[in-house]
Amino acid sequence: MAVFSVTFAAAGGCTGQITGGDGDGNVNGNGGGDGDGCKVQALVQSRCVSCHAASPINGAPMSLASLDALRLPSQKETSQSVAQRCVERMKSTDNPMPPAGGTPATADEIAVVSSWIDAGMPACSEGGEEQYSPPNLLPQNELFTCKDAVSDAPTRIRRVNRWQWTRNVGGAVTRGWTGFTFFDNPFDPGASEAYSTYATDDTLDEATIELFLPVLNEAGPQWAGPYTGGNRLERLRLDATLRCMWDDDRPDAACVQHYLHEFLLHGVLFREPSDGELNRLQQFATTILAAEPPASGGTDTRTHSITRISNAAWMTAGALFRTEGGDPAATGRTQLTSWELGQQLAYAVGSRAPGATPTWVYPDFSAPLEGHLADIAAAAANGTIRNPATAEALFLQNVGGTDPSRFDLIQDYNENERAARGQYWLGDGATGFFREWLGYSKIPEIFKERPEALSAFDDGDPSGYRAQLSSYSNLMDGYYGDESTLVQQMEDLVARVVVEDQDVLKNLLTTRRYYLASTTQPTPAPSATEHTGQIYNVTQPVDTNRWVTVPANERAGVLTHPAWLGSHGGNFEDDPSAVHRGKWVRENLLCGYVPPLSSVRVMAKVGPHAPNKSARARLDDATGNTLCQGCHSLMNPLGYPFEIYNHAGYLRVHDHAADGSLGPPNGSSTLSGLPDPALNGPVRDAVEFSEKLAQSPWVKRCFIRQAFRYYMGRDENLTDACTLSKMEQAYDSSGGSFFKMVGALIKSDTWTSRRIPGEGE
């Protein structure tokens, strides 16, 4: 089926009788849900594509040859999708579709399309297999209209991800000075997930277990005594009741059971183990210990035994999955247990379980004996976490703050590196949201040919040893000296805005206070830090304060930060980075829909490099035709403002002119058809565009939806409207507090309860 379409309002139509229906004139489909998509698809094929084909004919102004075409926004009524506009036209007597002379749409046909829209415009599932329907297809205004509905999200099981398991066993999430890290585990979230907190279809297979075992062998010795392994566990040094497990030649059953209980509680499950969990592990441990040589065999033998026991524990379902099931005896709806609420909150603020293992980094431990987020663990143990006010207070206490020593980074960076970071910090959970929503952490992975190209610092030198390239490389990996990388600088900027907690979204999009690497600190390779300010267009020395206010006409907020620009930019300065940047804005700030690449049926490639072709000119040449504009009209205009920056995020001082000379950069764009009419019209560049986005109520609501997705680990739906409304009310009434907004979610029924799935669901 042809899939490209043009975003014009649905207008004309062609005559024709519906075929493939049942005796009552209904279109055949799978019946409800994604079956509505099949019905609409059949309806379009029988009634519309004779004119609204992939290449429209007979005067039809657009293609309606795919479901994607119907999902696009209508340019005539920007608050509606093409499908919604179609329904209006099908009902109209003054301006009908099909037009006068054609057979009018029947009530059944109108109902089919209306039902499909109400269901979120799902795909047609061929063969009865469920298809994913993007949440951005849901009408945003309805998502913030509370009608006293209760969230219908069901109970579920969630696998821990790479970051969470690493933190739980006391590991570093970097590969720097700490050497081996438990981050070398295979628990990556699914590539198709919007956020790492999603858990759809994440399971374990034989290949994953094979990759997991070497990491387990490194983690196990930590629990064989206070001075075994690479991470001294203070609990094992101070708790004399545990010593029998490694001191006694033959530990008795009571010793083994007590040790395993503490191990499961504080190192594996981070909740009270069930009798079955404890008994099964004790049976296994008894077998392993009985197989040891008659004498103790030395500490290596016992360390090996305890490592085998710990490996078995860490491969159980309770160690790798966490539940949101509530009381198994409940019917209809269930409240999450105290331990489930505790784990949900701890992962939200710290990307680790409550009571997660501290790390010993001489001369300090990363947390007290009780472990990380021990206050959340205590509230889960005594049940006070069920009090919404208590849960919100625990969130606010652990989500972020200020600390010049940056003790929050002790597991990952040495003291000198920590001292080079900003004083504002966010817990791993909150940082994870902004890292994943904004997508700025990808820049070290993207090759940039001549990153300073067309900037004020481009002297035409292609040498691989030029000073600019050395400084840019150090911004990627921080190899020389102790200064922060570009990604870390973005995270310090974000942390300051969020911790100050006023008009958070507005300030994220408009702040001119950027955190830079110092250029005055001694380093073994001076050129590696000497020019790190150039990517911000900063040439003056940056001292140890490192906060720099950039000119108001050059940058505004996170969308003009080099980390974001580079992460959403191409390899070359004349690449179509505008497409990537515009697509991100459409989907992540406007909560709009762009058909996926899998729908493209034409050659998607820009022309060759040319001295008289800027990135913008190459993109216009490649996508200016009607077939391409169906998708590119949704992205290109939103990306053009960022053309004042190159592929790596440097401010351009010139660009390719049509006559082959170096002309001025062009970031102008005329925006139309956006869901917030105040955003329509001309913009000068990305600075002005960011300032307009910062004022938009529509963008604010999309921001709230993104936070909901991350913290709930799933897509929103229309039954979440009351919770989303409460989050918006909390944000507005607090002057734009991110913490209060998420706090409203944590106090909601959506957070604390789940629907019990029906039979066969």
Side-chain angles (χ1 to χ4, degrees):
M1 183 195 305
V3 296
F4 261 77
S5 57
V6 188
T7 58
F8 294 114
C14 294
T15 61
Q17 294 294 327
I18 189 166
T19 59
D22 58 26
D24 296 323
N26 296 318
V27 182
N28 291 332
N30 292 338
D34 55 319
D36 287 337
C38 299
K39 295 177 183 180
V40 172
Q41 189 165 284
L43 175 60
V44 166
Q45 287 296 311
S46 63
R47 288 282 256 153
C48 306
V49 297
S50 56
C51 293
H52 292 274
S55 297
I57 58 176
N58 299 330
M62 89 217 67
S63 167
L64 292 179
S66 71
L67 297 182
D68 274 337
L70 295 169
R71 292 166 173 147
L72 295 173
S74 165
Q75 286 197 348
K76 186 171 181 63
E77 298 291 342
T78 58
S79 63
Q80 296 180 323
S81 64
V82 169
Q84 290 171 311
R85 178 70 176 154
C86 283
V87 170
E88 285 193 1
R89 292 286 309 281
M90 292 162 74
K91 294 178 178 178
S92 174
T93 56
D94 298 328
N95 187 23
M97 187 174 74
T103 303
T106 67
D108 286 333
E109 290 170 341
I110 294 172
V112 163
V113 181
S114 298
S115 174
W116 178 67
I117 294 170
D118 292 341
M121 295 187 278
C124 170
S125 3
E126 298 180 0
E129 185 177 343
E130 184 177 355
Q131 297 289 323
Y132 171 69
S133 181
N136 282 5
L137 292 173
L138 295 171
Q140 182 159 277
N141 289 336
E142 291 186 34
L143 281 167
F144 286 84
T145 303
C146 177
K147 298 180 180 178
D148 296 326
V150 179
S151 172
D152 68 353
T155 56
R156 62 179 177 176
I157 298 175
R158 307 174 67 176
R159 199 195 73 188
V160 297
N161 63 36
R162 176 194 293 253
W163 192 296
Q164 293 166 350
W165 192 88
T166 301
R167 287 302 198 212
N168 286 351
V169 300
V173 294
T174 60
R175 291 297 307 273
W177 69 286
T178 54
F180 176 85
T181 168
F182 304 134
F183 197 55
D184 295 326
N185 68 69
F187 299 137
D188 295 299
S192 62
E193 305 289 18
Y195 292 105
S196 66
T197 51
Y198 281 39
T200 306
D201 297 328
D202 277 345
T203 184
L204 293 176
D205 54 26
E206 187 174 336
T208 305
I209 293 295
E210 188 172 346
L211 293 171
F212 185 39
L213 288 175
V215 182
L216 284 179
N217 284 330
E218 295 288 339
Q222 331 299 325
W223 284 90
Y227 303 108
T228 57
N231 179 23
R232 191 181 86 195
L233 300 185
E234 197 72 344
R235 180 179 301 279
L236 302 190
R237 188 178 73 87
L238 297 178
D239 188 347
T241 66
L242 301 175
R243 295 177 188 173
C244 58
M245 188 64 177
W246 55 84
D247 284 346
D248 294 357
D249 285 344
R250 296 296 179 190
D252 61 27
C255 168
V256 173
Q257 184 180 63
H258 174 65
Y259 171 88
L260 294 180
H261 175 273
E262 295 301 289
F263 171 53
L264 289 173
L265 176 60
H266 299 293
V268 180
L269 304 175
F270 305 100
R271 57 169 172 78
E272 280 290 334
S274 68
D275 291 342
E277 289 170 326
L278 182 57
N279 291 338
R280 283 191 296 271
L281 186 60
Q282 184 166 6
Q283 290 173 10
F284 179 76
T286 300
T287 302
I288 296 300
L289 294 171
E292 288 182 345
S296 70
T299 57
D300 288 346
T301 297
R302 183 56 50 84
T303 297
H304 178 69
S305 296
I306 291 179
T307 298
R308 291 185 64 188
I309 295 166
S310 67
N311 286 0
W314 276 319
M315 285 194 292
T316 61
L320 299 175
F321 296 85
R322 58 188 179 97
T323 66
E324 293 175 2
D327 182 358
T331 58
R333 193 163 189 84
T334 183
Q335 297 291 317
L336 300 190
T337 68
S338 294
W339 282 110
E340 288 172 335
L341 289 172
Q343 293 207 350
Q344 183 174 238
L345 180 59
Y347 283 113
V349 297
S351 285
R352 67 185 95 206
T357 306
T359 297
W360 180 51
V361 181
Y362 179 84
D364 299 307
F365 287 89
S366 61
L369 172 66
E370 295 77 18
H372 289 273
L373 305 173
D375 51 353
I376 297 178
N382 62 31
T384 56
I385 199 166
R386 307 198 66 82
N387 183 320
T390 299
E392 183 184 34
L394 288 168
F395 170 74
L396 296 175
Q397 182 173 321
N398 291 286
V399 69
T402 57
D403 176 17
S405 72
R406 291 307 300 270
F407 197 77
D408 62 298
L409 301 175
I410 193 172
Q411 285 183 270
D412 305 301
Y413 303 108
N414 64 38
E415 187 175 359
N416 291 335
E417 289 173 326
R418 299 199 304 272
R421 297 293 297 276
Q423 67 269 40
Y424 300 90
W425 65 274
L426 290 175
D428 286 341
T431 297
F433 166 63
F434 291 99
R435 182 187 299 122
E436 295 179 28
W437 170 52
L438 293 168
Y440 57 76
S441 63
K442 297 178 290 185
I443 187 171
E445 307 165 13
I446 304 173
F447 163 74
K448 303 293 182 182
E449 193 267 348
R450 297 185 63 250
E452 77 278 11
L454 298 185
S455 74
F457 314 102
D458 180 7
D459 59 7
D461 181 6
S463 167
Y465 300 96
R466 61 192 187 277
Q468 292 96 329
L469 184 61
S470 178
S471 289
Y472 179 83
S473 297
N474 208 55
L475 284 171
M476 297 301 105
D477 57 26
Y479 185 81
Y480 292 104
D482 299 313
E483 293 300 316
S484 57
T485 66
L486 204 61
V487 170
Q488 292 166 351
Q489 291 164 26
M490 171 70 112
E491 293 188 342
D492 284 332
L493 178 155
V494 169
R496 178 170 186 165
V497 171
V498 177
V499 169
E500 290 177 345
D501 207 28
Q502 286 292 306
D503 285 325
V504 168
L505 178 61
K506 177 182 177 182
N507 288 326
L508 281 174
L509 294 173
T510 61
T511 184
R512 267 74 174 190
R513 294 180 305 193
Y514 286 67
Y515 194 81
L516 276 62
S518 174
T519 59
T520 63
Q521 294 302 289
T523 173
S527 63
T529 56
E530 180 182 1
H531 303 296
T532 49
Q534 291 181 352
I535 198 168
Y536 296 92
N537 210 35
V538 171
T539 56
Q540 71 270 25
V542 179
D543 61 22
T544 55
N545 178 48
R546 297 182 178 84
W547 287 104
V548 175
T549 300
V550 300
N553 64 336
E554 291 184 0
R555 296 187 190 268
V558 292
L559 300 190
T560 63
H561 194 285
W564 186 88
L565 292 163
S567 292
H568 299 283
N571 305 121
F572 300 89
E573 58 84 14
D574 59 346
D575 273 351
S577 301
V579 177
H580 303 288
R581 295 164 179 170
K583 183 176 187 290
W584 186 93
V585 172
R586 172 73 65 176
E587 294 180 333
N588 294 279
L589 279 181
L590 300 177
C591 283
Y593 177 76
V594 178
L597 280 175
S598 59
S599 299
V600 175
R601 296 293 186 270
V602 297
M603 180 62 69
K605 184 178 181 180
V606 295
H609 303 285
N612 64 338
K613 295 280 188 181
S614 66
R616 183 172 185 148
R618 295 177 72 215
L619 180 59
D620 287 344
D621 287 348
T623 65
N625 64 75
T626 300
L627 286 177
C628 294
Q629 280 298 296
C631 293
H632 280 276
S633 65
L634 301 174
M635 301 179 288
N636 295 10
L638 300 177
Y640 288 148
F642 301 99
E643 283 300 290
I644 63 171
Y645 310 101
N646 72 3
H647 59 315
Y650 283 79
L651 191 72
R652 297 183 194 266
V653 295
H654 45 247
D655 206 346
H656 301 275
D659 61 3
S661 64
L662 293 176
N666 179 13
S668 64
S669 185
T670 300
L671 307 177
S672 62
L674 297 184
D676 181 353
L679 295 173
N680 293 328
V683 292
R684 180 186 67 254
D685 53 26
V687 173
E688 184 178 9
F689 187 32
S690 292
E691 290 171 339
K692 292 185 71 172
L693 290 167
Q695 300 293 333
S696 171
W698 186 277
V699 171
K700 176 195 67 178
R701 284 183 165 183
C702 184
F703 173 62
I704 294 171
R705 293 171 68 180
Q706 301 295 337
F708 178 96
R709 294 172 190 178
Y710 176 83
Y711 284 105
M712 289 306 302
R714 63 172 175 84
D715 296 335
E716 72 279 21
N717 61 60
L718 292 176
T719 67
D720 297 312
C722 292
T723 298
L724 289 166
S725 297
K726 290 176 182 177
M727 293 174 70
E728 182 179 36
Q729 291 165 9
Y731 185 84
D732 290 343
S733 63
S734 62
S737 165
F738 177 79
F739 295 154
K740 290 295 185 182
M741 179 188 81
V742 179
L745 172 63
I746 290 170
K747 292 186 292 184
S748 71
D749 289 341
T750 301
W751 179 269
T752 60
S753 65
R754 299 289 184 270
R755 175 178 59 82
I756 303 294
E759 185 176 352
E761 185 177 347

